[in-house]
Amino acid sequence: MSESFDSFSKNYNIVVNDSIRHTGYDTESLVSAKLQKLANTFPDLTDKKFRLLDFGCGVGNLYGGIEKFFPNAVYTGVDPSINSIKNARLRFQVNNAFQRYECQEWTSLKYDLIFSGGVFHHIPQKEHSKVIEKLFSLLNQNGRLVIWEHNPINPITQKIIKDCPIDKGAVLVSSKNIKKLFEGVSFSKINVSYTAFFPKFLSPLNHLEPLLEWLPLGGQYFVTGQKC
């Protein structure tokens, strides 16, 4: 997996933007939407100093918008792709914020929020349980885990993933399976929310999304759980 992402690291956002062009959105707007959802879901963190792990940070897109929504977050991004980490460090002129997956430093810390966006469909499903257990072990008491993924039953999402070179060989994972993994490590307050219902030309309808989070037809979903 790391080797394939190494080859896309220099033009990752260009490739993704081309794949989602029919929606009218780009990577920057989607990152902002994710962060806004996180801020709405965890309002207690918006002004609080807390430690955040971006698991599968890629070229650092989340880092670019984090200060606007969580100005006091202490960010750590981790990824197995060497070139992605190098490019993230160059983009933002920081070194300590981005670490290789093999590095031991990030595993020696405890986090209040762990976010993993669009990562699990690239991880072999037989390894999902082990990864969730690892992330659970890295949370502080009352820490939260958020897994954000593409919805495999949405036909538009299916086409986007099929046509995106970065997602070649990826296997979409259902919200039901992610929820089951959360239950397997005794998370509390587990919740599944669906999002990304409207393309950009229908963005005036985005205010309806909170009313539709129960409906399993959105282009994406996110599962949250808390460690007690």
Side-chain angles (χ1 to χ4, degrees):
M1 183 179 72
S2 61
E3 290 80 7
S4 63
F5 275 86
D6 279 344
S7 65
F8 287 111
S9 61
K10 288 186 178 180
N11 61 347
Y12 176 87
N13 286 340
I14 294 173
V15 174
V16 173
N17 286 342
D18 183 62
S19 298
I20 63 175
R21 66 188 184 280
H22 299 302
T23 69
Y25 293 110
D26 58 17
T27 54
E28 185 176 353
S29 59
L30 294 183
V31 167
S32 292
K34 287 183 175 70
L35 287 167
Q36 183 65 69
K37 284 283 187 181
L38 289 177
N40 292 343
T41 304
F42 307 119
D44 58 307
L45 295 179
T46 55
D47 295 317
K48 177 183 177 182
K49 184 175 181 179
F50 69 98
R51 191 172 292 279
L52 165 67
L53 175 65
D54 183 6
F55 183 78
C57 65
V59 295
N61 287 336
L62 196 76
Y63 181 87
I66 202 76
E67 186 175 2
K68 176 181 176 181
F69 295 91
F70 300 101
N72 298 311
V74 180
Y75 175 96
T76 299
V78 61
D79 201 279
S81 167
I82 297 175
N83 288 345
S84 294
I85 292 298
K86 287 180 178 178
N87 285 331
R89 289 172 175 173
L90 286 173
R91 285 178 72 192
F92 301 105
Q93 296 298 300
V94 293
N95 286 322
N96 293 337
F98 299 104
Q99 300 177 25
R100 284 288 313 282
Y101 181 81
E102 288 78 8
C103 175
Q104 297 299 311
E105 184 178 347
W106 69 276
T107 61
S108 66
L109 302 173
K110 294 289 186 179
Y111 302 91
D112 303 294
L113 176 63
I114 298 178
F115 175 80
S116 185
V119 174
F120 270 67
H121 67 286
H122 292 289
I123 300 173
Q125 293 196 17
K126 64 182 181 180
E127 298 178 15
H128 285 180
S129 179
K130 183 179 179 180
V131 174
I132 291 291
E133 289 174 4
K134 182 182 184 72
L135 297 180
F136 182 84
S137 72
L138 294 174
L139 286 170
N140 283 318
Q141 186 174 6
N142 297 320
R144 288 88 162 225
L145 174 63
V146 178
I147 303 297
W148 192 298
E149 270 298 336
H150 304 299
N151 187 359
I153 67 173
N154 183 290
I156 297 175
T157 296
Q158 290 176 6
K159 177 169 175 52
I160 290 173
I161 298 302
K162 181 181 179 181
D163 294 344
C164 183
I166 294 173
D167 288 313
K168 183 178 180 180
V171 179
L172 295 183
V173 55
S174 71
S175 59
K176 180 180 179 181
N177 284 350
I178 296 294
K179 182 182 179 183
K180 186 179 296 185
L181 292 171
F182 276 48
E183 293 170 344
V185 289
S186 302
F187 273 109
S188 65
K189 300 181 180 179
I190 301 171
N191 187 64
V192 179
S193 298
Y194 296 89
T195 186
F197 286 91
F198 306 110
K200 190 171 184 179
F201 76 91
L202 292 177
S203 59
L205 299 177
N206 282 344
H207 70 281
L208 298 175
E209 281 222 355
L211 302 176
L212 299 173
E213 288 184 345
W214 61 273
L215 185 64
L217 297 178
Q220 298 184 321
Y221 68 86
F222 58 101
V223 182
T224 62
Q226 185 170 352
K227 180 180 181 177
C228 293

